[in-house]
Amino acid sequence: MSKKTVATAWLQGCSGCHISILDLHQELVELLGDIEILSSPLVDIKEFPRVDICLVEGAVGTEGDVRKLQELRQKSDVLVALGTCACFGGISGLRNLYKKDEVLEHCYTNVRNVNKNGTIPSSEDVPALLESVKPVGELAKIDYQIPGCPPLPGTIKTVLQALITGKEPVLPQRSLCAECDREQRELLKPTREFIADSVVAFMELEEIDPVKCFLEQGVLCMGLATREGCHARCLKGNVPCRGCMGPTPGAMEQGAKLINSLASVLPAGGLMFMEDIVGTGYRYSMPSSIIPNISRKEEEIDE
């Protein structure tokens, strides 16, 4: 069997997904028996080659990202969105809460020590920002997704092995609660009473029960609105889930899924005042939510 040709690329991201590829260590060396990596940000290739499989990391935030993504799509038989930024927009997508001009104004004129001249850089050599950050799938057809911030090395390997052998990669389909070992003593009991008397911020607890469900302690946890597959690493470290694996399959959007799920188990008023609902529920998926579309429609109506 001839080797599959592979390329990796990144757009607007932190390179953490590529670090996850390197975290395969010896397993990456073993994979190289079946694949040949022709292009990567880690090597100096001037022209992107045609390949069987391309893994693209990062969201689309500039006009340069758009041009690069179009070339990747054109020259790749299979395009895989690698990581949550590529799949859903990721952390950088939170800038969609503001208009582009507001972001530039704040970053270059309001933040101290960033630009002493107080001017916004402008050059043909600097790709212009898009009005909003977009997930890869909004501008190009993607064939598969590998969510996670960063994605697990083992998941990357599993998807690559499936593609090498001509099989369909299969991702976990349930919510994170399905692979969480914490005890849910009251959560699933049919009762009209709230399971928690109040909502508390994670850092306000003097002691966090390492066994009991976070929601039953009044702590906002994204597990019920998040796809499983990360092996509940944060929860095992006694930290609530923040949703980096993206929405569960079939959910219209992650933030709405969270609010809908929590409405019956936590005091609604407490949620409004205690937690940053937008920064929590949409931290990793703002660009793929319905909120930007609503904002654009409101602007069209105003015009």
Side-chain angles (χ1 to χ4, degrees):
M1 183 177 67
S2 60
K3 290 185 177 182
K4 293 285 187 181
T5 54
V6 174
T8 70
W10 69 46
L11 304 174
Q12 180 175 280
C14 68
S15 77
C17 300
H18 277 75
I19 300 300
S20 273
I21 295 175
L22 297 177
D23 280 343
L24 282 167
H25 301 300
Q26 179 63 31
E27 294 174 280
L28 177 59
V29 176
E30 295 168 3
L31 272 176
L32 291 177
D34 296 316
I35 64 174
E36 181 178 4
I37 300 177
L38 300 185
S39 177
S40 165
L42 305 176
V43 297
D44 186 19
I45 300 294
K46 303 301 182 185
E47 184 174 350
F48 189 80
R50 178 152 198 91
V51 295
D52 297 317
I53 304 165
C54 176
L55 307 177
V56 57
E57 168 190 351
V60 184
T62 69
E63 293 178 358
D65 292 336
V66 175
R67 291 191 294 270
K68 188 173 184 179
L69 176 61
Q70 291 172 340
E71 182 181 12
L72 297 176
R73 178 66 276 185
Q74 185 181 16
K75 294 185 176 179
S76 306
D77 291 340
V78 174
L79 186 63
V80 180
L82 176 65
T84 292
C85 289
C87 295
F88 312 111
I91 290 286
S92 62
L94 287 174
R95 88 160 164 90
N96 288 4
L97 291 168
Y98 304 92
K99 295 179 180 177
K100 180 182 71 173
D101 292 341
E102 293 175 333
V103 173
L104 291 172
E105 179 78 13
H106 179 74
C107 291
Y108 288 103
T109 64
N110 296 343
V111 178
R112 292 181 179 179
N113 300 324
V114 172
N115 185 352
K116 295 181 179 179
N117 297 326
T119 57
I120 298 174
S122 177
S123 168
E124 293 181 355
D125 296 327
V126 180
L129 280 182
L130 299 180
E131 289 297 328
S132 61
V133 176
K134 303 177 188 300
V136 166
E138 188 170 325
L139 296 174
K141 175 183 176 297
I142 57 172
D143 300 293
Y144 302 101
Q145 292 182 337
I146 306 178
C149 184
L152 265 62
T155 306
I156 298 173
K157 178 185 176 183
T158 299
V159 171
L160 278 176
Q161 285 180 321
L163 295 176
I164 290 169
T165 55
K167 299 178 181 176
E168 284 289 316
V170 178
L171 293 176
Q173 299 295 308
R174 303 171 301 176
S175 77
L176 182 60
C177 293
E179 62 180 13
C180 175
D181 294 330
R182 287 175 175 263
E183 294 180 0
Q184 295 179 341
R185 299 163 186 162
E186 304 293 335
L187 189 65
L188 302 180
K189 289 183 179 179
T191 173
R192 298 182 65 178
E193 301 297 329
F194 285 131
I195 64 164
D197 294 330
S198 63
V199 181
V200 295
F202 171 65
M203 66 289 293
E204 288 188 337
L205 290 178
E206 294 183 1
E207 183 178 354
I208 302 171
D209 190 326
V211 176
K212 191 176 180 181
C213 171
F214 274 110
L215 291 176
E216 295 196 6
Q217 299 181 63
V219 177
L220 189 55
C221 178
M222 286 286 292
L224 38 63
T226 302
R227 182 196 289 265
E228 65 172 336
C230 65
H231 306 318
R233 293 174 295 180
C234 295
L235 300 169
K236 290 176 181 175
N238 218 15
V239 176
C241 171
R242 283 298 176 254
C244 80
M245 287 292 288
T248 52
M252 183 175 65
E253 62 157 41
Q254 198 171 16
K257 172 74 174 177
L258 170 74
I259 294 170
N260 180 54
S261 300
L262 293 180
S264 60
V265 296
L266 292 177
L271 279 175
M272 295 297 293
F273 290 104
M274 198 63 240
E275 277 281 359
D276 175 10
I277 293 294
V278 173
T280 302
Y282 294 96
R283 182 175 300 183
Y284 295 95
S285 60
M286 174 66 72
S288 58
S289 74
I290 64 172
I291 290 180
N293 296 324
I294 292 175
S295 299
R296 283 196 287 270
K297 286 182 179 179
E298 288 178 344
E299 290 176 357
E300 291 172 3
I301 292 173
D302 292 339
E303 292 174 357

